[in-house]
Amino acid sequence: MFKTEFQPFVCEGDRITCTVDGIEFTARLEHDWDSKPTDFECYTKRQVEAWRGDEWHFFGVVISAELEGIDLGDYLASLWGIEGNFPSRRKNPNRYFRTVANELLPEAFAAARNELERVRSVVAIAA
């Protein structure tokens, strides 16, 4: 489980890590270039203008994994269209990123285990 929070102000490339059964998982933020507040009806004019002024952005949370230097996948699980640095009165409006990372972890873990089994079978055949 990811225990570390993302910072109160996030940027593309920010990451947190955790280890599950010896596999190191990384949750990183990538800029979501496809999402726009004008695609939705829930944003005020001021919020849209703040987005246009680069005050906040949409991000994706992407989970990758490795085991002892072996890459088990770069995009094992992801969720896109999440508001980052959104104008809010909350102390850390970016707390949701860790929540998403933890919700994606079971899917990423299953994908990493499958890749690990595939790698082991290839190594066994080659040996």
Side-chain angles (χ1 to χ4, degrees):
M1 198 166 168
F2 293 99
K3 295 184 178 165
T4 306
E5 295 278 350
F6 282 93
Q7 296 298 313
F9 185 87
V10 294
C11 297
E12 182 174 29
D14 286 358
R15 58 193 61 224
I16 58 176
T17 61
C18 72
T19 303
V20 179
D21 288 350
I23 301 172
E24 183 173 336
F25 291 89
T26 300
R28 72 178 182 280
L29 302 182
E30 291 191 9
H31 195 279
D32 182 347
W33 296 100
D34 294 326
S35 296
K36 302 182 285 299
T38 53
D39 294 338
F40 310 96
E41 295 180 8
C42 61
Y43 296 103
T44 67
K45 184 177 179 181
R46 187 188 74 67
Q47 291 167 333
V48 172
E49 290 304 315
W51 175 81
R52 286 187 176 130
D54 283 335
E55 294 177 33
W56 66 279
H57 303 275
F58 286 101
F59 291 92
V61 175
V62 178
I63 309 291
S64 59
E66 72 172 47
L67 176 65
E68 297 178 17
I70 298 169
D71 180 9
L72 299 177
D74 196 32
Y75 285 85
L76 297 175
S78 63
L79 183 67
W80 299 85
I82 304 169
E83 301 157 342
N85 305 323
F86 191 76
S88 171
R89 290 191 171 109
R90 291 183 293 177
K91 185 177 180 181
N92 183 353
N94 297 314
R95 289 186 114 161
Y96 184 60
F97 288 121
R98 183 181 75 162
T99 300
V100 170
N102 281 319
E103 289 174 354
L104 293 171
L105 194 54
E107 178 183 345
F109 181 76
R113 297 281 294 172
N114 287 340
E115 179 62 10
L116 184 57
E117 290 306 313
R118 188 192 71 75
V119 168
R120 285 180 175 152
S121 68
V122 169
V123 169
I125 292 170

